[in-house]
Each structure stands twice: as C-alpha cells, then as structure tokens.
C-alpha cells in the first residue's frame, strides 16, 4: 500500500491509499474532491473506500462529489457519527477491522475533539515493519485537537490509546500545524533537548515549504506535550501532578496561545 499525501483547503492533508495490484484506492478524510480526483486519474485507480475520522466539513467535504464519480465507493465512519457523515454506509465501533488491499486497520474510538472521533491504525504487515495511524484531528505532530465536544479526561484516554502504539508507527495527521504546535510546546517543555532539536528541524523544513507529516510516534512521545502529562517538566508548567488536570491546563494554555 502506497500512501499519497494531498494538500487541500488551507492546511489540510488528505491521504490517498493506493493498491497498485488491484488498481484500487481509498482516501482518508477527503476535505474536497478535486485533489483526490486528480491523483486517482494520475494513478488510473478506482476509488473503493472513504475512511472518515469525524464529521467536520474539512474532513468530509469531498464525500458527495466522490460518490458521484464512484457510485460503488463504501463510506466508513464512526457509529457515533450516524447522521453527520454524508453518504455513510459503514458504522464503526472500537475494535472493528477494515481492510484495504493487503492491509488491515483496527478502529480506535478516540473521542475528545468530537464526541464520535475515530482513528484508523493500519497494522504492520510483518514483524519490524511500521504501522500507519490515521488520527484525523485527535493527535497532531507536536500537538492535539481542540476539545469541541469532549472532556479532558476523554481526550487523555484517547491519546493514551494512541500513545500505546509502537514507536515506529507513522502518524498521518490531518493538518499542517506542526510549527505553531512546537512553538507552543517550547513554552511548556522548553528544556527538553529532543523538542529543541525537533523545533529546529521543523522550522527548516517549513521554510523550504516541506511537509512535516507523517511524523513518527516515538518522536511524538518524546516531544509532544499533549502526550507528556506524566512528565515532571510538563506537570510543573501546568502546576499540577494530576495527569488529566495537567493535560487540561496545557490544552487551555494552547487555546489562548
Ligand atoms: Zn476537526
Ligand atoms: Fe480538521
């Protein structure tokens, strides 16, 4: 399975999964249809699946137009999002498995950004290979999604699920927010040498207009303050030793950053 990262809207990424053997493709969170149609044309591939992570328009905006071009496409989304996803046909719950090409993904229920948000974790195909996590607006490179419909406790539980995946997992998040996220991260975890180094790398990459997605989950664990509620430095910045309160306070600071 080959993953293509397509830019959409202002700062969204759409991920197109391609299986060359069957000339089929799937797409994660089509913010809009046109970049997807272009890439499908270039690959001469048929769209067989849409995997939505949550109902926000910058994640489902292309569903209808893609359905018109590919009437047989299956649209997968959270069971809890019933009624909010254009064209939804498959209603997924925690632990469900979905297949594309030779890969299988496990569905993780990760409420917080919205009350119904799910992530798709494509399992590694063999030992030592990397899995691929499509996490929408739950985990970002260097940050996490705003809490629109969920509580800090829910988001900590959701991010704990993601944090439990292997370090070599590729993290495919839906927005290019990394530089701003790391600028904030330095204000709460500024003595962290891994974070300092990552900030320099990301600053250089963005100045050349290079994408910072995907990132590696191991890097997120070492540098993303929203996965580090149990680190003394982050707890000190939040003036708390309680994981959920630490997370909530850091998230609040980021909202005002
Ligand atoms: Zn969103
Ligand atoms: Fe979004």
């Amino acid at each position: 399975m080959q993953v293509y990262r397509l830019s959409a809207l202002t700062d969204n990424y759409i991920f197109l999964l391609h299986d060359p053997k069957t000339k089929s493709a799937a797409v994660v969170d089509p913010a809009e249809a046109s970049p997807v149609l272009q890439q499908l044309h270039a690959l001469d591939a048929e769209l067989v699946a849409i995997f939505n992570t949550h109902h926000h328009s910058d994640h489902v905006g292309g569903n209808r137009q893609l359905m018109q071009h590919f009437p047989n496409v299956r649209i997968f989304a959270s069971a809890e999002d019933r009624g909010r996803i254009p064209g939804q046909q498959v209603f997924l719950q925690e632990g469900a498995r979905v297949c594309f090409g030779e890969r299988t993904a496990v569905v993780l229920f990760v409420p917080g950004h919205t009350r119904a948000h799910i992530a798709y974790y494509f399992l590694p195909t063999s030992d030592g290979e990397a899995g691929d996590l499509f996490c929408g607006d739950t985990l970002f490179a260097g940050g996490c999604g705003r809490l629109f419909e969920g509580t800090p406790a829910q988001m900590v539980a959701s991010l704990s699920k993601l944090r439990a995946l292997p370090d070599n997992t590729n993290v495919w998040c839906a927005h290019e927010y990394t530089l701003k996220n790391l600028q904030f991260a330095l204000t709460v975890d500024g003595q962290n040498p891994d974070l300092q180094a990552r900030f320099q790398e990301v600053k250089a990459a963005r100045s050349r207009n290079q994408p910072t997605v995907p990132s590696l989950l191991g890097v997120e664990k070492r540098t993303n303050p929203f996965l580090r509620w149990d680190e003394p430095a982050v707890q000190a910045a939040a003036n708390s030793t309680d994981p959920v309160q630490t997370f909530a306070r850091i998230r609040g600071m980021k909202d005002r950053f």
Side-chain angles (χ1 to χ4, degrees):
M1 177 178 91
Q2 178 78 31
V3 183
Y4 293 85
R5 176 192 50 237
L6 314 177
S7 292
L9 305 178
T10 318
D11 50 32
N12 275 81
Y13 289 127
I14 302 170
F15 302 111
L16 188 147
L17 320 180
H18 183 223
D19 180 37
K21 272 189 199 158
T22 56
K23 287 199 157 197
S24 59
V27 72
V28 180
D29 282 353
E32 50 184 345
S34 55
V36 176
L37 292 170
Q38 243 172 28
Q39 186 67 44
L40 291 170
H41 184 74
L43 295 167
D44 187 25
E46 185 194 1
L47 187 67
V48 299
I50 295 175
F51 299 119
N52 292 126
T53 63
H54 66 295
H55 73 292
H56 286 160
S57 62
D58 62 313
H59 299 256
V60 304
N63 279 21
R64 289 226 178 274
Q65 207 183 328
L66 292 171
M67 285 164 69
Q68 283 161 9
H69 281 81
F70 298 95
N72 295 323
V73 70
R74 305 259 300 153
I75 301 186
F76 297 78
S78 172
E80 302 294 318
D81 261 333
R82 184 180 288 269
R84 306 204 292 186
I85 306 280
Q88 181 175 7
Q89 295 161 318
V90 186
F91 299 83
L92 299 169
Q93 286 175 325
E94 166 81 17
R97 291 186 175 231
V98 298
C99 295
F100 172 72
E102 287 160 354
R103 299 284 296 271
T104 299
V106 178
V107 172
L108 303 170
F109 185 54
V110 288
H113 176 65
T114 69
R115 59 178 172 76
H117 201 301
I118 56 173
Y120 299 87
Y121 173 56
F122 281 79
L123 301 163
T125 45
S126 60
D127 261 7
E129 277 189 55
D132 292 285
L133 174 67
F134 296 92
C135 49
D137 289 353
T138 295
L139 177 63
F140 289 129
C144 77
R146 268 177 197 262
L147 303 183
F148 285 117
E149 296 180 341
T151 64
Q154 273 179 328
M155 193 62 151
V156 166
S158 295
L159 291 170
S160 296
K161 275 185 205 173
L162 304 186
R163 195 173 73 162
L165 299 173
D167 280 3
N168 68 349
T169 304
N170 296 307
V171 178
W172 303 88
C173 66
H175 290 271
E176 181 60 64
Y177 289 161
T178 317
L179 184 59
K180 182 99 195 278
N181 283 340
L182 294 181
Q183 282 165 349
F184 169 75
L186 284 170
T187 69
V188 293
D189 196 16
Q191 300 305 307
N192 176 346
D194 293 324
L195 172 57
Q196 293 166 356
R198 187 183 189 191
F199 176 70
Q200 293 304 330
E201 282 166 30
V202 164
K203 200 168 75 169
R206 292 308 296 150
S207 72
R208 296 190 296 267
N209 212 21
Q210 289 171 349
T212 62
V213 175
S215 61
L216 285 175
L217 189 58
V219 171
E220 299 304 334
K221 293 179 195 178
R222 291 195 299 275
T223 61
N224 186 330
F226 296 102
L227 295 179
R228 292 166 61 75
W229 51 74
D230 34 24
E231 284 296 318
V234 178
Q235 293 187 345
N239 194 23
S240 176
T241 52
D242 175 71
V244 171
Q245 192 173 53
T246 296
F247 175 84
R249 289 186 177 167
I250 299 287
R251 186 57 256 180
M253 290 160 70
K254 175 68 169 65
D255 289 346
R256 297 184 295 274
F257 182 66

